[in-house]
Amino acid sequence: MAPKKRPAAAKASSAKKGKYVEEDPETHFAVSAATTGPMADLPASLPKPVTLPVKSTALICIDFQKDFMSEGGFGHALGNDVTKLSEECLPGAQVLLAAARAKKMLVIHTKEAHRDDLKDCCDMKRIGPRCPPEGKRIGEVLQEGMGRLLIDGSPGNEIVDVVKPLEGEVVLCKPGKGAFFLTGLNQLLRDRGISHLIFCGVTTEVCVQVTMREANDRGYECVLVEDATASYIPKFKAAVVEMVRSQGGIVGYTIEHAEDVATALKSAA
Ligand code: C5J
């Protein structure tokens, strides 16, 4: 079948002429960092030490869902061994959550979650040639008790108990890998005066990395906490950690231990 033609209107005429498409790019950028209030120094971060202004720093917990961490979920449907993720990253994530909550910082939890009518799930993601076979696709049930794969409201789509959101914390459903796509996250962060983001979650090279890169383009300073993130494929996690902090920290900072972040937040003055 011949590929469908894109409607002519989809081509931005200004882009065709090589002009800037966005009139006010700065309306998308992170707000300036807080210059007052407690400051948390992370001497162990790479490629260099970073200071987190606590008032304008948020913790973002990416997709700690049964769909990625438990058997019978979407990660399992994709053919991954899901049994090792939890022990690798949940203890670190718990440490970060406790420290952020103690400092009354903004905590954001994301869930990769589609509407039950699947209107926010494109065909490419659900039934395209690289998708799992029938019975293992988004919206289908792989295992009793988990409900429909990657659908908001299904038991398997919930965040795992040990890092579950507290009342009042932001829980953001995202239909994409990046948390900025179709979610309003950028506006939320701007409204809440956030300039710095501490990252934990799964999987390192997919939703965590994509979201960090989206945040970096928007001007947020990002810190990835190594023992609070995990991948099904260890060499991919190692590569992301290297990539993030390479070239002078092209995507942001990394730090090995959640405990070091917690200590810095606790002693921030
Ligand atoms: C994936 C994610 N792996 N949370 N999602 O598709 O990383």
Side-chain angles (χ1 to χ4, degrees):
M1 204 180 22
K4 277 190 203 154
K5 275 199 181 141
R6 274 177 197 275
K11 289 185 195 164
S13 57
S14 54
K16 229 173 21 182
K17 289 183 209 136
K19 287 198 181 140
Y20 299 111
V21 175
E22 179 57 70
E23 294 293 327
D24 297 309
E26 71 276 11
T27 62
H28 298 274
F29 290 154
V31 300
S32 304
T35 52
T36 58
M39 299 285 161
D41 294 322
L42 300 181
S45 65
L46 293 170
K48 53 171 80 160
V50 62
T51 297
L52 301 175
V54 177
K55 279 205 299 199
S56 65
T57 300
L59 173 66
I60 181 158
C61 305
I62 305 281
D63 300 3
F64 281 124
Q65 298 163 261
K66 293 180 190 159
D67 254 319
F68 295 107
M69 311 194 77
S70 305
E71 298 207 353
F74 186 61
H76 188 191
L78 292 177
N80 296 299
D81 173 1
V82 297
T83 58
K84 298 193 182 75
L85 287 198
S86 296
E87 70 184 77
E88 185 175 341
C89 63
L90 289 178
Q94 287 176 280
V95 166
L96 293 177
L97 273 168
R101 285 166 178 161
K103 283 286 180 191
K104 306 217 174 323
M105 287 164 54
L106 176 65
V107 175
I108 295 165
H109 305 261
T110 70
K111 301 198 314 166
E112 190 169 336
H114 292 281
R115 291 164 41 155
D116 71 352
D117 62 8
L118 286 164
K119 279 197 176 143
D120 60 356
C121 187
C122 55
D123 285 356
M124 180 272 287
K125 187 174 181 186
R126 190 171 63 85
I127 52 172
R130 291 173 289 106
C131 290
E134 238 176 279
K136 296 183 171 186
R137 292 176 177 165
I138 295 170
E140 297 176 340
V141 177
L142 178 65
Q143 186 172 296
E144 275 315 307
M146 291 286 276
R148 297 172 66 203
L149 293 169
L150 236 47
I151 301 296
D152 186 30
S154 295
N157 198 247
E158 290 311 313
I159 292 171
V160 297
D161 281 349
V162 295
V163 290
K164 74 168 183 260
L166 295 184
E167 183 96 24
E169 289 177 349
V170 177
V171 181
L172 214 62
C173 288
K174 60 181 186 57
K177 295 172 177 78
F180 285 81
F181 176 59
L182 295 179
T183 62
L185 174 59
N186 196 34
Q187 196 55 51
L188 183 144
L189 296 173
R190 285 167 54 85
D191 291 347
R192 301 288 284 265
I194 298 299
S195 59
H196 287 59
L197 293 167
I198 302 170
F199 275 82
C200 59
V202 297
T203 59
T204 317
E205 78 281 14
V206 186
C207 294
V208 176
Q209 174 174 220
V210 173
T211 303
M212 270 190 89
R213 288 177 180 274
E214 289 178 327
N216 172 257
D217 279 343
R218 289 162 177 80
Y220 297 92
E221 284 287 13
C222 301
V223 182
L224 175 62
V225 184
E226 291 178 49
D227 65 0
T229 182
S231 168
Y232 306 121
I233 305 157
K235 68 181 178 190
F236 287 175
K237 170 176 168 178
V240 169
V241 169
E242 279 298 319
M243 255 184 245
V244 161
R245 65 188 179 211
S246 70
Q247 303 176 73
I250 194 147
V251 185
Y253 299 87
T254 65
I255 187 160
E256 200 173 349
H257 301 296
E259 285 290 356
D260 288 345
V261 179
T263 304
L265 289 174
K266 251 180 240 159
S267 50

